[in-house]
Amino acid sequence: MSKRVLRGVVVSDACEKTVIVRVERRVMHPIYKKFVTHSKKYAAHDENNSYRSGDVVRIEESRPISKRKCWVVIGGPANVGPGRRSARSIPEPVSAEADMTELGAPDIGIETAEATEGAA
């Protein structure tokens, strides 16, 4: 029996080694004959924490990994690397002395009386 493969958008990457993927499908309404979009969210296993919110990924059915997780991410965007998510969440510390040295006298553009007399 083949495993199902679905395509969706990552809506959450807050958990460790897990992403929440929203899969949308369009079905025709039985009475009104218009297409309606149905969506469902799946918890999928992401071993390297590689995928961020907004990435389009493919997920495949697998054995149960946890209570809610029985899908595995098998593909996504081309620029994904291992540990990509951990690098963006840590800001670099800035020392207080560096901030104070960059500040100089404010240049507000007011000319003094001596500068206007010399120009005239």
Side-chain angles (χ1 to χ4, degrees), residues 79-98:
N79 61 351
V80 173
R84 182 176 84 161
R85 183 169 59 164
S86 60
R88 73 175 165 113
S89 63
I90 303 171
E92 294 182 14
V94 178
S95 64
E97 294 84 22

Side-chain angles (χ1 to χ4, degrees), residues 16-68:
E16 190 69 24
K17 295 187 177 185
T18 302
V19 291
I20 307 298
V21 180
R22 185 183 70 235
V23 176
E24 293 183 348
R25 60 188 182 91
R26 291 178 42 143
V27 295
M28 185 179 285
H29 193 276
I31 296 173
Y32 300 117
K33 306 301 182 196
K34 292 205 173 220
F35 283 100
V36 182
T37 303
H38 290 282
S39 65
K40 186 173 179 181
K41 292 192 279 188
Y42 296 94
H45 186 68
D46 176 19
E47 182 66 34
N48 298 324
N49 291 325
S50 310
Y51 300 98
R52 294 186 190 169
S53 295
D55 290 345
V56 178
V57 295
R58 291 176 44 218
I59 58 175
E60 182 182 45
E61 202 172 23
S62 71
R63 64 177 177 80
I65 298 169
S66 67
K67 180 180 178 180
R68 296 181 50 225

Side-chain angles (χ1 to χ4, degrees), residues 103-110:
L103 295 177
D107 184 24
I108 54 178
I110 299 176

